């Protein structure tokens, strides 16, 4: 049986940073990833990573405390303030570390790391590598893993997590290349599996972001926190919903409606295009809904223009080359002389596996970091540039915590006999499930269920919500859950069975969708990304609290936990 | 043949069937959800509606993760970045796995030879000095000098397209050599000598015959031959005892 003291699920920035921490503490660990690590979704991050370095002109007196406050205010005061302070205090160290490891950050004239303005931030604080910051960081992180010879199991799709008596013991995974379903035992397990974007239509996320880690943890009765908070990015390219970085606006781009107006003046007269994402996304959607967008009544919703033309060819080519390439290749337009058609698109999962600041989940031995975790540092709305930061700060903290908790106790080379027995039991169950999916007499078409789920979630659990649409969404998701029991995987192949890979996750996607819809229905207020047309104000008296969803046979059971407040009392957000 | 469909001709190989590999045609509607249709979307259409046994790699669908390099209508392309309308030959788009890598199944190749070369060039920054408290300074010009090489997405299109590599599988190939030059040219790297020794031999830069297939095939517009030629110059200078 494969055994490592520490197993890390996910080869994006959080997972790889954790692996480096564990390795550097002298412990054996391995990374399991459904794709080669450099194919992970971290690679697609564009605009940058926040750290109060004070490098940029006009940012000399920036501090980590100011970064913390901007983050807390941006979160609409739902973030845990102790966790935010931890993250922003450690931000410069993580950015400098990546620089020392070779990350090709863009530079100021004096050779220091360049920083650009981003939404909701009081200073130009976002360090960047042109508009391919995620690519620069992930490749650098992978290079460090290669240097250390960290073991990876690539193209392994984790199917289940084994938990007994409140303790995580291992995983069952599909080796995609051989079709084998195998157990992997560990004393500490980190989930760093990313978000659940692909539950929604109009998502900017990679196709692999199905939320499978969230579903697997939840199915093992690990609680999910604040799942109703889904970020819609203001500017996704119309048609394909490929991300158009906030850096476009950070560099000075305008948002313009069909009447030719910079409409953000109405919604955030000071911050304009650089208000936080929830506010800008709602503003764009309002313009479209009220008939001031383009493409009215057409398929795919309307759009407005992201206009970069006044930045000039030189700046666009230097600072936003990736955006220009995407526009040329995917929309057939050149932003140097044509405005970019954009609409809001699902972008980020603020909620996730409930963890503390060290990444520890309420199950012994289980940790989570990055987008799949909810520490919580993003609360009800994440600021741009804070997700890359989250991955590295909490990836490292989780790696350190796992190593420390095993210190002096990591000389095992194989799993404990009782863990082996329990994993073998779960292996049989998981193999049976895969066998049933492939050999059963199901009649439901899984792709029809998946397509319907995406439509329901974007139409009824989207930017604007109310009791009626959320109730309908919940009922529809539950109906799809009934139907998913009758799907059949049609391909019997063992080697690279994509039919199995894409459909084995469907049930879990529906469970996560149910948690999102129920959390949104119950939360009768508007906070950050969660906007209720029937409860339009924030209600701190009743709702300044985290949602926790527990799985039961009857569906999710919700309860609530307090928000950690250190220094900053909630006030109304104005930009 | 209905006018609103095209033939997606896929080179199939199923290691479990015992059947010979060969082309198979699928009729696919031209209009995708977003108006256009990429080759990757067409492959998903076949997977979901016509052949659940089809195998291909994917992830980001926006030309940054490097998963889906394939040989499409006679050119090395990323499936996600290629519009069907641009790849039609008559009413046919032909797709096969990256040439010159072992095929695992259909469009999925064994990337092991590619990653082996990547690891050989020590693909990470080496700096002997202790890290400073803050960042190592680098001028915008020096940064610009590594931009193109650092943009590589490791899709293996160039590796697959290189005739020198086809003739000799121990040749490091354009991707690994571009990675090597990315660090040779990085003002923060102190291992230039070691790196030039690593690549300055017949399995390295001197097996490049400047055929430029790598440049033609690169979906990110990177000039791998430039990197290789720069290192040839540096190695020659070093061998002549000149200042590098």
């Amino acid at each position: 049986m494969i055994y490592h003291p520490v197993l890390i699920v996910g080869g994006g920035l959080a997972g790889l940073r954790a692996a480096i921490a564990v390795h550097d503490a002298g412990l054996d660990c391995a990374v399991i990833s459904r794709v080669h690590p450099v194919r992970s979704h971290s690679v697609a991050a564009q605009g940058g990573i926040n750290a109060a370095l004070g490098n940029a002109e006009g940012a000399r007196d920036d501090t980590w405390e100011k970064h913390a406050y901007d983050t807390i205010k941006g979160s609409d005061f739902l973030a845990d303030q102790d966790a935010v302070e931890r993250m922003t205090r450690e931000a410069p160290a993580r950015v400098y570390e990546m620089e020392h490891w070779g990350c090709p950050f863009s530079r100021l004239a004096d050779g220091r790391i360049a920083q650009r303005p981003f939404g909701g931030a009081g200073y130009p604080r976002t360090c960047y590598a042109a508009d391919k910051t995620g690519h620069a960081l992930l490749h650098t992180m992978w290079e460090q893993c290669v240097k250390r010879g960290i073991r990876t199991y690539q193209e392994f799709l984790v199917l289940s997590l084994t938990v007994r008596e409140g303790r995580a013991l291992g995983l069952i995974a599909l080796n995609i290349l051989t079709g084998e379903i195998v157990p992997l035992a560990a004393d500490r397990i980190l989930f760093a599996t990313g978000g659940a974007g692909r539950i929604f239509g109009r998502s900017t996320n990679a196709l692999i972001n199905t939320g499978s880690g969230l579903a697997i943890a939840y199915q093992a009765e690990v609680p999910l926190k604040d799942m109703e908070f889904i970020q819609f990015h203001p500017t996704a390219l119309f048609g394909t919903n490929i991300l158009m970085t906030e850096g476009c606006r950070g560099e000075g781009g305008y948002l313009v409606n069909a009447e030719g107006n910079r409409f953000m003046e109405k919604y955030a007269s000071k911050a304009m295009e650089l208000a936080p994402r929830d506010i800008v996304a709602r503003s764009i959607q309002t313009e479209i809904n009220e008939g001031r967008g383009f493409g009215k009544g057409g398929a795919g919703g309307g759009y407005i223009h992201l206009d970069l033309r006044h930045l000039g060819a030189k700046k666009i080519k230097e600072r936003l080359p990736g955006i220009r390439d995407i526009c040329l290749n995917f929309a057939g337009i050149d932003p140097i002389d044509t405005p970019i058609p954009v609409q809001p698109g699902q972008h980020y999962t603020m909620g996730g596996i409930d963890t503390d600041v060290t990444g520890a989940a309420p199950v012994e031995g289980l940790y989570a970091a990055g987008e799949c975790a909810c520490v919580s540092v993003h609360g009800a709305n994440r600021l741009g540039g804070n997700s890359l930061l989250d991955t590295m700060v909490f990836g490292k903290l989780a790696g350190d915590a796992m190593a420390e908790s095993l210190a002096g106790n990591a000389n095992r080379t194989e799993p404990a006999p009782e863990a082996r027995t329990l994993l073998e039991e779960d292996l049989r169950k998981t193999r049976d499930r895969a066998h049933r999916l492939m050999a059963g007499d199901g009649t439901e078409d899984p792709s029809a269920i998946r397509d319907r789920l995406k439509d329901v979630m974007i139409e009824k659990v989207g930017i604007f919500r109310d009791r009626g649409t959320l109730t309908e969404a919940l009922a529809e998701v539950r109906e799809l859950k009934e139907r998913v029991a009758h799907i059949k995987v049609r391909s019997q192949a063992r080697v690279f069975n994509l039919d199995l890979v894409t459909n084995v996750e469907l049930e879990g996607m529906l469970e996560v969708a149910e948690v999102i819809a129920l959390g949104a229905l119950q939360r009768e207020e508007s906070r950050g990304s969660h906007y209720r047309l029937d409860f339009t104000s924030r209600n701190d008296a009743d709702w300044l609290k985290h949602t926790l969803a527990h799985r039961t046979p009857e569906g999710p059971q919700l309860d609530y936990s307090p928000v950690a407040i250190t220094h900053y009392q909630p006030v109304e957000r104005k930009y | 043949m209905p006018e609103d469909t095209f033939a997606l001709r896929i080179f199939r190989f199923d290691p479990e069937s015992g059947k010979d590999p060969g082309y198979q045609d699928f009729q696919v509607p031209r209009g995708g959800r977003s108006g256009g249709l990429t080759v990757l979307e067409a492959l998903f259409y076949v997977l979901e509606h016509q052949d659940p046994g089809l195998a291909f790699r994917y992830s980001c669908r926006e030309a940054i993760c490097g998963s889906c390099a394939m040989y499409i209508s006679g050119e090395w392309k990323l499936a996600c970045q290629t519009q069907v309308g641009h790849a039609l030959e008559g009413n046919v788009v032909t797709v096969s796995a990256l040439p010159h890598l072992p095929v695992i199944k259909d469009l999925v190749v064994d990337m092991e030879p590619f990653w082996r070369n990547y690891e050989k060039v020590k693909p990470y920054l080496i700096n002997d000095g202790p890290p400073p408290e803050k960042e190592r300074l680098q001028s915008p010009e020096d940064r610009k000098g590594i931009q193109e090489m650092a943009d590589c997405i490791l899709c293996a299109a160039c590796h697959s397209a290189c005739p020198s590599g086809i003739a000799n599988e121990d040749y490091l190939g354009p991707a690994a050599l571009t990675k090597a030059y990315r660090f040779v040219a990085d003002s923060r790297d102190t291992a230039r000598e070691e790196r030039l020794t690593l690549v300055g031999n017949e399995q390295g830069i001197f097996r490049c015959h400047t055929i430029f297939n790598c440049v033609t095939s690169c979906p990110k517009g990177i000039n791998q031959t430039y990197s290789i030629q720069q290192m040839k110059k540096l190695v020659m200078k070093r061998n002549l005892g000149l200042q590098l």
Side-chain angles (χ1 to χ4, degrees):
Chain A
M1 188 178 289
I2 296 171
Y3 166 81
H4 296 273
V6 178
L7 276 173
I8 290 162
V9 189
L13 280 170
L16 296 186
R17 185 62 191 82
I20 289 171
V22 173
H23 174 91
D24 289 355
L27 267 73
D28 170 52
C29 71
V31 175
I32 309 168
S33 175
R34 65 185 302 169
V35 289
H36 185 287
V38 302
R39 319 301 190 206
S40 306
H41 186 53
S42 302
V43 82
Q46 297 173 353
I49 173 167
N50 296 336
L53 307 184
N55 282 1
E57 194 66 38
R60 298 284 186 259
D61 54 345
D62 195 10
T63 62
W64 68 262
E65 290 94 338
K66 289 171 182 167
H67 181 188
Y69 185 69
D70 286 344
T71 301
I72 291 162
K73 183 181 169 192
S75 82
D76 222 349
F77 294 90
L78 190 68
D80 286 324
Q81 297 182 5
D82 53 345
V84 173
E85 288 172 327
R86 186 81 188 254
M87 178 174 82
T88 61
R89 208 171 53 225
E90 298 200 5
R94 294 286 75 73
V95 168
Y96 289 140
E97 175 179 80
M98 290 308 292
E99 196 284 327
H100 297 158
W101 286 345
C103 182
F105 284 111
S106 294
R107 301 288 172 153
L108 297 169
D110 65 8
R112 289 177 304 151
I113 295 170
Q115 296 182 287
R116 58 164 53 120
F118 244 49
Y123 295 90
R125 184 184 290 143
T126 306
C127 311
Y128 60 94
D131 56 356
K132 302 173 187 177
T133 313
H135 175 271
L137 290 170
L138 185 64
H139 279 248
T140 303
M141 197 74 92
W142 174 241
E143 289 160 6
Q144 291 300 311
C145 291
V146 170
K147 182 180 176 188
R148 288 165 173 77
I150 289 171
R151 176 75 195 263
T152 58
Y153 295 91
Q154 295 169 16
E155 299 184 310
F156 272 61
L157 180 67
V158 171
L159 299 176
S160 69
L161 166 69
T162 295
V163 174
R164 289 291 192 288
E165 291 166 3
R167 177 163 194 86
L169 302 171
L171 303 156
I172 310 296
L174 169 71
N175 179 342
I176 295 171
L177 289 178
T178 64
E180 266 182 301
I181 295 176
V182 297
L184 300 101
D187 302 312
R188 298 290 180 273
I189 297 168
L190 174 75
F191 272 49
T193 54
R198 285 285 161 181
I199 288 175
F200 285 78
R202 288 187 214 156
S203 176
T204 64
N205 284 193
L207 301 174
I208 57 171
N209 287 26
T210 56
S212 67
L214 295 167
I216 288 162
Y218 178 65
Q219 285 164 345
E221 301 188 1
V222 182
L224 300 183
K225 185 159 78 189
D226 291 341
M227 288 298 292
E228 62 268 35
F229 296 101
I230 297 291
Q231 179 160 83
F232 298 90
H233 196 286
T235 57
L237 184 63
F238 181 70
T240 56
N241 294 106
I242 295 174
L243 179 66
M244 295 285 106
T245 174
E246 191 163 307
C248 293
R249 286 169 283 136
E251 295 295 345
Y254 298 150
L255 296 173
V256 181
N257 65 18
E259 293 168 1
N261 297 322
R262 277 180 74 190
F263 54 85
M264 280 312 298
E265 197 168 9
K266 279 189 291 184
Y267 305 96
S269 60
K270 266 169 66 187
M272 294 294 285
E273 282 87 354
L274 288 179
R277 288 176 177 172
D278 57 334
I279 293 170
V280 181
R282 271 197 296 281
S283 306
I284 294 173
Q285 198 59 51
T286 302
E287 292 297 302
I288 293 169
N289 292 353
E290 293 181 357
R292 293 183 295 278
F294 299 93
K296 288 171 211 162
Y303 60 91
I304 54 99
H305 279 157
L306 170 60
D307 196 344
L308 306 182
R309 290 175 298 176
H310 57 287
L311 303 181
K314 184 169 180 287
K315 195 169 188 181
I316 291 173
K317 285 181 184 171
E318 227 170 75
R319 306 276 180 89
L320 302 165
I323 289 299
R324 181 163 181 252
D325 280 348
I326 291 168
C327 287
L328 289 167
N329 292 323
F330 290 89
I333 58 163
D334 188 341
I336 290 171
D337 47 49
T338 310
I340 308 169
V342 293
Q343 65 179 187
Q346 189 287 342
H347 184 57
Y348 190 83
T349 311
M350 261 83 71
I353 296 167
D354 179 28
T355 75
D356 67 15
V357 285
T358 68
V363 163
E364 212 186 323
L366 183 69
Y367 293 73
E371 190 173 345
C372 76
C374 183
V375 179
S376 134
V377 284
H378 308 306
N381 173 62
R382 176 175 70 76
L383 290 189
N386 272 351
S387 64
L388 289 176
L389 179 61
D390 170 357
T391 63
M392 292 192 288
V393 168
F394 293 104
K396 178 177 189 300
L397 286 174
D400 289 345
M402 290 189 291
E404 198 173 309
S405 72
L406 283 173
N409 189 22
N411 27 26
R412 217 203 295 268
T413 54
E414 54 178 74
E418 60 276 18
R420 179 188 290 270
T421 310
L422 293 167
L423 273 166
E424 274 163 1
E425 191 181 307
D426 277 12
L427 174 65
R428 277 193 296 277
K429 281 187 209 158
T430 305
R431 278 186 179 154
D432 285 350
R433 180 170 155 246
H435 181 74
R436 272 200 310 280
L437 272 174
M438 291 167 76
D441 51 2
T443 51
E444 290 284 355
D445 172 9
S447 45
I449 294 177
R450 191 166 41 244
D451 288 348
R452 184 62 201 145
L453 170 66
K454 290 179 177 190
D455 288 347
V456 168
M457 294 304 282
I458 194 71
E459 285 165 15
K460 298 181 178 177
V461 198
I463 294 179
F464 293 111
R465 304 164 169 182
D466 66 31
R467 181 178 297 151
T469 52
L470 289 169
T471 307
E472 284 170 25
L474 194 57
E476 280 216 53
V477 168
R478 286 178 171 159
E479 190 204 313
L480 293 173
K481 260 176 79 181
E482 298 286 316
R483 284 170 58 190
V484 84
H486 306 289
I487 61 167
K488 177 171 162 57
V489 169
R490 294 158 298 167
S491 172
Q492 303 297 311
R494 287 178 64 78
V495 176
F496 221 94
N497 186 337
L498 268 193
D499 195 30
L500 178 62
V501 166
T502 55
N503 293 317
V504 75
E505 298 183 307
L506 193 50
E507 191 181 340
M509 290 169 77
L510 287 160
E511 291 210 47
V512 173
E514 187 183 17
V515 171
I516 295 170
L518 182 64
L521 176 63
Q522 297 291 335
R523 185 175 281 273
E524 295 187 332
E525 65 157 353
S526 289
R527 183 186 297 274
S529 67
H530 172 68
Y531 194 88
R532 288 281 299 254
L533 292 163
D534 43 357
F535 298 93
T536 55
S537 322
R538 198 176 80 199
N539 175 355
D540 288 337
D542 297 321
W543 288 103
L544 182 58
K545 56 189 181 184
H546 298 296
T547 306
L548 286 170
H550 305 266
R551 187 175 191 262
T552 74
E554 291 76 42
Q557 194 76 46
L558 302 189
D559 61 25
Y560 296 89
S561 69
V563 173
I565 308 271
T566 57
H567 299 106
Y568 312 104
Q569 288 308 312
V571 293
E572 191 192 341
R573 287 196 309 163
K574 283 200 182 123
Y575 289 95
Chain B
M1 187 184 298
E3 267 181 30
D4 53 351
T5 67
F6 71 99
L8 187 62
R9 181 168 295 162
I10 305 173
F11 196 79
R12 307 297 304 273
F13 169 65
D14 180 355
E16 297 171 78
S17 74
K19 280 193 290 194
D20 286 340
Y23 286 103
Q24 187 178 1
D25 283 11
F26 297 91
Q27 292 300 317
V28 177
R30 277 170 189 262
R33 280 186 158 198
S34 53
L37 185 75
T38 65
V39 171
L40 185 64
E41 288 170 319
L43 291 170
F44 269 106
Y45 182 87
V46 172
L47 176 73
E48 290 181 7
H49 300 286
Q50 301 187 27
D51 189 342
L54 183 64
F56 53 95
R57 287 194 176 105
Y58 60 89
S59 175
C60 75
R61 65 83 172 86
E62 56 179 271
I64 192 72
C65 80
S67 297
C68 66
M70 298 173 191
Y71 193 61
I72 300 173
S73 296
E75 294 183 64
W76 284 265
K77 298 276 190 190
L78 297 176
C80 72
Q81 191 177 230
T82 305
Q83 293 292 330
V84 163
H86 297 162
L88 282 170
E89 295 172 306
N91 202 35
V92 179
V93 172
T94 309
V95 183
S96 58
L98 278 182
H100 317 124
L101 283 161
V103 177
I104 293 171
K105 181 178 179 180
D106 295 338
L107 305 171
V108 176
V109 293
D110 182 358
M111 292 279 283
E112 199 276 331
F114 175 78
W115 295 121
R116 195 171 59 216
N117 284 350
Y118 168 84
E119 296 197 8
K120 275 184 197 163
V121 299
K122 301 202 171 183
Y124 40 82
L125 190 88
I126 297 173
N127 188 307
D128 300 333
E133 189 195 340
K134 295 187 173 180
E135 66 268 63
R136 290 192 174 100
L137 299 181
Q138 183 170 51
S139 72
E141 295 68 41
D142 283 347
R143 162 64 174 77
K144 209 171 176 184
I146 58 170
Q147 169 81 55
E148 193 176 293
M149 306 90 209
D151 275 351
C152 172
I153 60 173
L154 301 174
C155 70
C158 60
H159 173 100
S160 160
C162 175
S164 299
I166 296 162
N168 187 331
E169 67 170 25
D170 291 325
Y171 172 46
L172 286 170
L177 289 172
T178 299
K179 181 60 78 178
Y181 185 64
R182 177 246 173 280
F183 291 107
V184 165
D186 194 320
S187 58
R188 300 168 294 175
D189 194 272
T190 57
R192 182 178 269 208
E193 281 289 336
E194 181 187 355
R195 294 186 189 283
L196 291 178
T197 303
L198 210 55
V199 302
N201 52 57
E202 63 175 338
Q203 298 301 358
I205 49 179
F206 294 113
R207 193 162 291 273
C208 168
H209 302 305
T210 60
I211 300 160
F212 291 97
N213 267 23
C214 49
V215 180
T216 312
S217 69
C218 180
K220 304 307 282 186
I222 297 165
N223 186 338
Q224 296 87 344
T225 312
Y226 171 81
S227 290
I228 296 170
Q229 293 302 97
Q230 289 300 104
M231 290 192 289
K232 283 183 188 169
K233 283 199 281 188
L234 287 169
V235 168
M236 292 310 287
K237 275 166 104 176
R238 188 190 64 173
N239 292 354
L240 291 169
L242 301 173
Q243 190 81 33
L244 287 188

